[in-house]
mmCIF file of all heavy atoms in Angstrom:
data_model
loop_
_atom_site.group_PDB
_atom_site.id
_atom_site.type_symbol
_atom_site.label_atom_id
_atom_site.label_comp_id
_atom_site.label_asym_id
_atom_site.label_seq_id
_atom_site.Cartn_x
_atom_site.Cartn_y
_atom_site.Cartn_z
ATOM 1 N N ASN A 82 -12.698 -2.850 -15.055
ATOM 2 C CA ASN A 82 -11.956 -1.969 -15.965
ATOM 3 C C ASN A 82 -10.770 -1.286 -15.279
ATOM 4 O O ASN A 82 -10.714 -0.067 -15.150
ATOM 5 C CB ASN A 82 -12.884 -0.908 -16.573
ATOM 6 C CG ASN A 82 -12.267 -0.250 -17.803
ATOM 7 O OD1 ASN A 82 -11.641 -0.924 -18.624
ATOM 8 N ND2 ASN A 82 -12.449 1.055 -17.949
ATOM 9 N N PHE A 83 -9.804 -2.100 -14.856
ATOM 10 C CA PHE A 83 -8.586 -1.527 -14.288
ATOM 11 C C PHE A 83 -7.356 -2.327 -14.694
ATOM 12 O O PHE A 83 -7.428 -3.493 -15.071
ATOM 13 C CB PHE A 83 -8.671 -1.387 -12.767
ATOM 14 C CG PHE A 83 -8.791 -2.670 -11.984
ATOM 15 C CD1 PHE A 83 -7.669 -3.424 -11.656
ATOM 16 C CD2 PHE A 83 -10.039 -3.108 -11.534
ATOM 17 C CE1 PHE A 83 -7.778 -4.590 -10.905
ATOM 18 C CE2 PHE A 83 -10.156 -4.273 -10.785
ATOM 19 C CZ PHE A 83 -9.016 -5.010 -10.474
ATOM 20 N N VAL A 84 -6.218 -1.653 -14.614
ATOM 21 C CA VAL A 84 -4.887 -2.209 -14.846
ATOM 22 C C VAL A 84 -4.211 -2.372 -13.493
ATOM 23 O O VAL A 84 -4.399 -1.541 -12.591
ATOM 24 C CB VAL A 84 -4.054 -1.255 -15.720
ATOM 25 C CG1 VAL A 84 -2.616 -1.742 -15.864
ATOM 26 C CG2 VAL A 84 -4.694 -1.067 -17.075
ATOM 27 N N VAL A 85 -3.416 -3.435 -13.331
ATOM 28 C CA VAL A 85 -2.657 -3.610 -12.091
ATOM 29 C C VAL A 85 -1.170 -3.569 -12.404
ATOM 30 O O VAL A 85 -0.684 -4.278 -13.290
ATOM 31 C CB VAL A 85 -2.989 -4.935 -11.391
ATOM 32 C CG1 VAL A 85 -2.462 -4.896 -9.946
ATOM 33 C CG2 VAL A 85 -4.477 -5.225 -11.401
ATOM 34 N N LEU A 86 -0.445 -2.735 -11.661
ATOM 35 C CA LEU A 86 1.005 -2.649 -11.758
ATOM 36 C C LEU A 86 1.615 -3.446 -10.614
ATOM 37 O O LEU A 86 1.302 -3.194 -9.446
ATOM 38 C CB LEU A 86 1.469 -1.198 -11.667
ATOM 39 C CG LEU A 86 0.802 -0.185 -12.603
ATOM 40 C CD1 LEU A 86 1.429 1.191 -12.408
ATOM 41 C CD2 LEU A 86 0.885 -0.623 -14.053
ATOM 42 N N TYR A 87 2.481 -4.391 -10.952
ATOM 43 C CA TYR A 87 3.151 -5.228 -9.949
ATOM 44 C C TYR A 87 4.663 -5.002 -10.039
ATOM 45 O O TYR A 87 5.379 -5.742 -10.729
ATOM 46 C CB TYR A 87 2.849 -6.702 -10.190
ATOM 47 C CG TYR A 87 1.414 -7.105 -9.981
ATOM 48 C CD1 TYR A 87 0.590 -7.376 -11.067
ATOM 49 C CD2 TYR A 87 0.880 -7.246 -8.709
ATOM 50 C CE1 TYR A 87 -0.731 -7.768 -10.882
ATOM 51 C CE2 TYR A 87 -0.439 -7.635 -8.512
ATOM 52 C CZ TYR A 87 -1.235 -7.893 -9.608
ATOM 53 O OH TYR A 87 -2.535 -8.287 -9.429
ATOM 54 N N PRO A 88 5.178 -3.993 -9.358
ATOM 55 C CA PRO A 88 6.627 -3.774 -9.358
ATOM 56 C C PRO A 88 7.326 -4.740 -8.407
ATOM 57 O O PRO A 88 6.699 -5.374 -7.561
ATOM 58 C CB PRO A 88 6.754 -2.334 -8.875
ATOM 59 C CG PRO A 88 5.541 -2.106 -8.041
ATOM 60 C CD PRO A 88 4.450 -2.968 -8.597
ATOM 61 N N SER A 89 8.638 -4.835 -8.584
ATOM 62 C CA SER A 89 9.464 -5.653 -7.694
ATOM 63 C C SER A 89 10.698 -4.873 -7.273
ATOM 64 O O SER A 89 11.331 -4.202 -8.099
ATOM 65 C CB SER A 89 9.912 -6.944 -8.385
ATOM 66 O OG SER A 89 8.823 -7.761 -8.726
ATOM 67 N N SER A 90 11.037 -5.000 -6.005
ATOM 68 C CA SER A 90 12.290 -4.463 -5.477
ATOM 69 C C SER A 90 13.313 -5.583 -5.405
ATOM 70 O O SER A 90 12.995 -6.703 -5.016
ATOM 71 C CB SER A 90 12.058 -3.873 -4.086
ATOM 72 O OG SER A 90 13.291 -3.551 -3.468
ATOM 73 N N ARG A 91 14.558 -5.278 -5.753
ATOM 74 C CA ARG A 91 15.601 -6.302 -5.734
ATOM 75 C C ARG A 91 16.539 -6.179 -4.543
ATOM 76 O O ARG A 91 17.390 -7.038 -4.338
ATOM 77 C CB ARG A 91 16.461 -6.192 -6.998
ATOM 78 C CG ARG A 91 15.719 -6.205 -8.308
ATOM 79 C CD ARG A 91 16.732 -6.220 -9.441
ATOM 80 N NE ARG A 91 16.174 -5.747 -10.698
ATOM 81 C CZ ARG A 91 16.877 -5.699 -11.822
ATOM 82 N NH1 ARG A 91 18.131 -6.072 -11.836
ATOM 83 N NH2 ARG A 91 16.314 -5.264 -12.935
ATOM 84 N N LYS A 92 16.448 -5.090 -3.784
ATOM 85 C CA LYS A 92 17.447 -4.812 -2.752
ATOM 86 C C LYS A 92 16.897 -5.062 -1.353
ATOM 87 O O LYS A 92 15.692 -5.118 -1.139
ATOM 88 C CB LYS A 92 17.918 -3.358 -2.873
ATOM 89 C CG LYS A 92 18.626 -3.065 -4.192
ATOM 90 C CD LYS A 92 19.191 -1.658 -4.244
ATOM 91 C CE LYS A 92 18.125 -0.597 -4.222
ATOM 92 N NZ LYS A 92 18.652 0.759 -4.395
ATOM 93 N N ASP A 93 17.821 -5.186 -0.398
ATOM 94 C CA ASP A 93 17.472 -5.295 1.022
ATOM 95 C C ASP A 93 16.408 -6.358 1.253
ATOM 96 O O ASP A 93 15.335 -6.090 1.782
ATOM 97 C CB ASP A 93 17.020 -3.933 1.550
ATOM 98 C CG ASP A 93 17.035 -3.853 3.080
ATOM 99 O OD1 ASP A 93 17.467 -4.825 3.731
ATOM 100 O OD2 ASP A 93 16.598 -2.812 3.609
ATOM 101 N N ASN A 94 16.727 -7.589 0.824
ATOM 102 C CA ASN A 94 15.809 -8.715 0.974
ATOM 103 C C ASN A 94 14.473 -8.481 0.270
ATOM 104 O O ASN A 94 13.424 -8.904 0.736
ATOM 105 C CB ASN A 94 15.588 -9.029 2.463
ATOM 106 C CG ASN A 94 16.872 -9.396 3.166
ATOM 107 O OD1 ASN A 94 17.422 -10.473 2.971
ATOM 108 N ND2 ASN A 94 17.394 -8.466 3.965
#
Side-chain angles (χ1 to χ4, degrees):
N82 197 40
F83 64 83
V84 174
V85 195
L86 309 182
Y87 294 106
S89 297
S90 170
R91 307 185 201 181
K92 297 185 295 185
D93 197 4
N94 300 287

